[in-house]
Amino acid sequence: PTRNSPSPPPPSTVTIPPFINPDSPPEDELALKEKFRKFWMASLAEGFKDDLEEPNLGQSRLALLIESLAAGADVFSSTSTDGNVNEMEVVVDELS
């Protein structure tokens, strides 16, 4: 006997928008990402100041903590196609 799955079948064609706007020059994209990354890391350094200054943390654990915190910057969008908000531009423009 066959059982019906509670999940709907996957769509036959899925369109995933590109992460980087194909119309913008690569230099603009890299500059935007670098500005946002600097803002992100400065904000995290302030927010996690006590954790980063922990004397018992050690070099390897400190490096792991910094890398983990830095990875959060990659979650934000740097494109504004299809009416989506370019999250990085919003932050960088507010800082200017």
Side-chain angles (χ1 to χ4, degrees):
T2 60
R3 294 180 13 190
N4 290 333
S5 170
S7 303
S12 58
T13 59
V14 176
T15 304
I16 299 174
F19 289 110
I20 297 175
N21 185 353
D23 299 330
S24 67
E27 298 82 25
D28 292 350
E29 187 74 24
L30 292 174
L32 176 63
K33 286 183 177 185
E34 185 58 32
K35 284 181 184 178
F36 182 78
R37 185 174 178 83
K38 286 180 183 179
F39 160 77
W40 180 260
M41 293 306 292
S43 298
L44 290 176
E46 181 64 31
F48 289 91
K49 182 179 178 180
D50 294 338
D51 296 318
L52 294 170
E53 293 176 347
E54 176 64 40
N56 298 329
L57 194 57
Q59 283 292 99
S60 61
R61 288 184 178 179
L62 179 61
L64 179 62
L65 176 60
I66 291 172
E67 287 177 27
S68 299
L69 294 173
D74 297 333
V75 172
F76 294 91
S77 172
S78 62
T79 61
S80 56
T81 58
D82 298 330
N84 294 328
V85 174
N86 184 327
E87 297 165 327
M88 288 185 183
E89 272 186 356
V90 169
V91 171
V92 171
D93 288 345
E94 287 182 10
L95 296 174
S96 301

